[in-house]
Amino acid sequence: MGARAYVWRSGGLAAALGIGAAVLVGQGVALADVGATSGSGSSSTASGASSTGSPKPDPGASAPATKPRLTEKASATTDSTNTKVDTADPTSTKKKKSSVSDQSIKPAHNPADVAPKKATDAPPTAKVSAAESAKTVAQPKISKDPTPTTSVAVSSVASAADVTITKPQEQPQARVAPVPTAAIAISNVVTTVLNPFAGGSPTAPAVSPLPWVMLAAARQEFSGAKTLTAVQPVTTSTPVDPKPTVSAMAAAVATTNVSPSPTIAPPTNVVAIAATPLLTALGLQYLPIIGPLFVTPIVAIVNEIPIVSDLLHPIFGYPVQAGLPPGSPQPEDVQVISFDGTPINVHFMPAVGLRAGQQAPTILDGPGLGMPGATNLNGTPLDGIITDNLGAVGVATLRDAGYNVVTWDPRGEYFSGGVLQLDSPDYEARDVSYIVSWVAQQPDAKLDGPNDPRIGMVGASYGGGIQLVSAATDHRIDAIVPTIAWNTLNDALYPNQAYKSGWGTLLTAALLATFSRPNPAVYPAAISGDFTGMLTQDQQDLLAARGPGGTPDLVSQITAPTLLIQGTVDTLFPLSEADANATDLIARGVPTKVVWFCGGHGLCINDLLDPRDGAVIQQETLAWLARYVKGDGAVSTGPQFEWVDQTGQYYSSNAYPVPNGNPIVTSSTTGGVLTLLPFIGGSGPLLGVLPIGGTKAFNAINLTVPAATATTYVVGAPQLTFTYSGTGQATHVYAQLVDNSTGLVLGNQVTPIPVTLDGQTHTISEPLQMVAETLRPGQSVTLQLIASAADYETITSLGQLKVSSMSLSLPTADPSKIAIVPASQTQL
């Protein structure tokens, strides 16, 4: 990493949490129904929130594809299943996600290396002033129907006769998951006290784009800044965010899309309103002597403070870049008006060295949950630490590599309008499509064709999830690098019917602390989960609609080359989430690579001072973007799979999943008795202060694996089988693997195991969370079956469990099929 200074990983993680809590978080309290209804009868008709699936496409609308896409899933796709066997019900089975140990797919080489497409030029788009727009766009009439869906036909010069609104057939209102009355009452109190801006109604306050038009017009008179950009209008029929304000601006916002998911036809009528920061509008940085000597240095210092600079950006803006030739592209901020009239706050930062008349490919960099869009034009002192711990590559790194960078505030957060819908394909993904179309209008953006920019995406956590749903629904996106993202929120937040109360509480607090405006069913559902440890079926159905591998299955729609980066110590979105995405993509022939690093939503305590993770992530990300966004066929993306063990050593395999070696199988008929108590003697911090992972428990039944006689690579999901009987109120026990040489839990991972305490004998077999551990000769691990874990704490964990036999199978990698990555390749 050169002369760059590093701090302890724990310090970096704490700093990130202290600055904004949600730097670490991606999804989480995704328990809200976007179709939540109130006493007023307002609701959303988004298909992603309905348990009945997506609505059928409107046959009268066109959806031209601008890029080739895969339309059929390869017949070679296979799903490995693991069966949970219960002697009390021998017919009971449970399908599991395929694990890295599945050998049904063995590519002979890395399919990621395929030829990218060739760029072409496209004509520039027209610019329209705010004043002209206000004169030409008429105010449409809207129906008082509680679930309005407008169909707006707009001409380039609209009049009252040009605007038509039709009312569709009545659609059933989406259900709101029932929640205990106490939980609702507590939620209302918490929301009112801590987040007064969120309101207590089922919908956020409507955000009208009309004030933005007026402000933009006034700003234009003051500063001469451009205010509106637009291209040819089309006809639309779309669902809308709860209670949107339909104004003169809304009549000009249209898209060719007719089916919210799984695919979105590119919108071509995009309106953007300039949002000039105060100091830029006042021109203080351009004052003789005072500007360059005092104002610009202050702005530059503020711009290098993570998160704080993003919050103060409407005042300070960007520092002036001295010494650039006349006409060089400049950073700018706009409000892109999305499909339902919601303004999305967008930042455009041109590539370093870009000159007048030149174009560069563009990267969309999505923020984490509770985070604003980054505006650090020249980077921050914490960029290296953030990349090393969270896998997020900074704006400056991307700009230095020759990319324009676009960031934004997701809907319902900070300076964007609307209601946060948790990376919904029907809302946030459609916002991204509007941003992509706006990028296509920029003279500094390289195009592959009309309305088709050369574009890639990066981002961690929430910024990783949005990549997967966006790439599935908008095939103009050329490549994605989802980092510490998820496949399905059901598996991530409610594994084996156990609610992750630790992360649920932290994520809810992050939303409250940042005054986010989430779907109002989020807080009651999160509180209900904390109190009961369970989610209703309606809530589970909603989770299934909030992920690429849920309902509908959006992963099967992704055609963009995908680099999946996941954290071995991530306790919110563990390795299995990336594994599910990778297995599907590889089976369909999509260029795919997988990298496991020590970081994510968790604390990497194995190698606190080791900067190699950040170096690997930066190198792999830039290589992937160079190959598939820049189109540089000379760039190699390397082996298909790279992972790091507990010592910080990286390994690679030309195939994902890595070919299996002989498993390590250990069994015992001794068993033992486990007293089931909440909080006491379990895994993790006392009372679940932070869901950072597991710790060695003293209230446990232990099964020790014999010491290794040769170097052994444990890679994948261990399988645990045990026979038990018991009585009490507990619904789960928990399993973890402990490194006997360090006392640390492998990857901080704890797996909930469902149990039936009816006094009868049962046998259960469950895969544990995936791990990556290298056992040297003489080293061993111990399986602990425990009563409680910090991330799953509930007061109902009471009873007694008697285990009569246990068996553990550890998956290993074939040593002849892996390579040790030299240290020189993990340094910058």
Side-chain angles (χ1 to χ4, degrees), residues 29 31 178-190 494 497-505 508 522-536 539 678-679 729 731 734 790-798:
V29 210
L31 311 177
V179 201
T181 303
I184 295 177
I186 294 173
S187 172
N188 290 337
V189 172
V190 171
Y494 200 49
Q497 305 290 296
Y499 179 64
K500 285 186 178 177
S501 56
W503 275 114
T505 301
T508 303
V522 164
Y523 296 142
I527 291 174
S528 175
D530 278 342
F531 273 105
T532 67
M534 297 182 292
L535 300 179
T536 66
Q539 291 165 348
F679 314 125
Q729 301 299 316
T731 58
Y734 306 89
D791 202 16
Y792 299 92
E793 295 289 16
T794 64
I795 59 176
T796 60
S797 296
L798 297 170

Side-chain angles (χ1 to χ4, degrees), residues 335-591:
Q335 293 274 337
V336 171
I337 308 303
S338 193
F339 70 97
D340 58 351
T342 297
I344 305 298
N345 194 46
V346 177
H347 313 287
F348 180 91
M349 291 159 279
V352 171
L354 202 63
R355 299 294 181 256
Q358 296 179 339
Q359 293 80 38
T362 303
I363 302 299
L364 303 186
D365 184 0
L369 185 70
M371 301 294 295
T375 57
N376 312 113
L377 194 65
N378 300 312
T380 80
L382 295 181
D383 280 358
I385 296 171
I386 292 173
T387 302
D388 197 51
N389 285 276
L390 304 177
V393 177
V395 170
T397 298
L398 296 169
R399 292 184 64 238
D400 289 341
Y403 301 98
N404 302 323
V405 179
V406 170
T407 64
W408 70 100
D409 301 344
R411 73 166 50 216
E413 297 192 85
Y414 295 98
F415 304 107
S416 289
V419 176
L420 184 148
Q421 301 288 2
L422 298 162
D423 275 354
S424 164
D426 299 329
Y427 291 95
E428 282 86 353
R430 302 185 73 183
D431 297 338
V432 168
S433 285
Y434 271 76
I435 295 173
V436 171
S437 291
W438 176 80
V439 169
Q441 302 170 195
Q442 306 314 302
D444 311 319
K446 189 173 186 178
L447 303 180
D448 289 326
N451 197 34
D452 185 6
R454 180 68 64 87
I455 204 158
M457 294 186 74
V458 301
S461 197
Y462 199 62
I466 191 59
Q467 296 179 59
L468 292 161
V469 295
S470 296
T473 54
D474 191 332
H475 291 156
R476 293 176 297 172
I477 298 168
D478 296 288
I480 58 175
V481 187
T483 302
I484 56 175
W486 66 95
N487 173 263
T488 165
L489 291 178
N490 273 332
D491 283 351
L493 298 172
Y494 200 49
N496 285 336
Q497 305 290 296
Y499 179 64
K500 285 186 178 177
S501 56
W503 275 114
T505 301
L506 183 61
L507 294 169
T508 303
L511 291 175
L512 289 167
T514 57
F515 303 106
S516 298
R517 303 175 302 280
N519 186 297
V522 164
Y523 296 142
I527 291 174
S528 175
D530 278 342
F531 273 105
T532 67
M534 297 182 292
L535 300 179
T536 66
Q537 186 58 53
D538 282 348
Q539 291 165 348
Q540 294 179 60
D541 291 342
L542 179 62
L543 291 179
R546 290 300 190 277
T551 306
D553 180 13
L554 297 180
V555 177
S556 63
Q557 301 295 320
I558 296 175
T559 60
T562 303
L563 170 60
L564 295 160
I565 301 176
Q566 209 75 6
T568 58
V569 295
D570 197 315
T571 57
L572 176 59
F573 301 136
L575 297 172
S576 56
E577 296 302 307
D579 174 67
N581 289 329
T583 301
D584 195 335
L585 293 170
I586 292 172
R588 293 188 301 104
V590 177

Side-chain angles (χ1 to χ4, degrees), residues 681-694:
S683 176
L686 182 63
L687 301 179
V689 176
L690 283 177
I692 61 174

Side-chain angles (χ1 to χ4, degrees), residues 7-10 12-13 24 384-392 484 597-604 613-614 617:
V7 299
W8 285 69
R9 284 178 182 245
S10 57
L13 185 63
L24 296 177
I385 296 171
I386 292 173
T387 302
D388 197 51
N389 285 276
L390 304 177
I484 56 175
F597 77 107
C598 190
H601 305 88
L603 185 61
C604 184
D613 294 299
I617 290 167

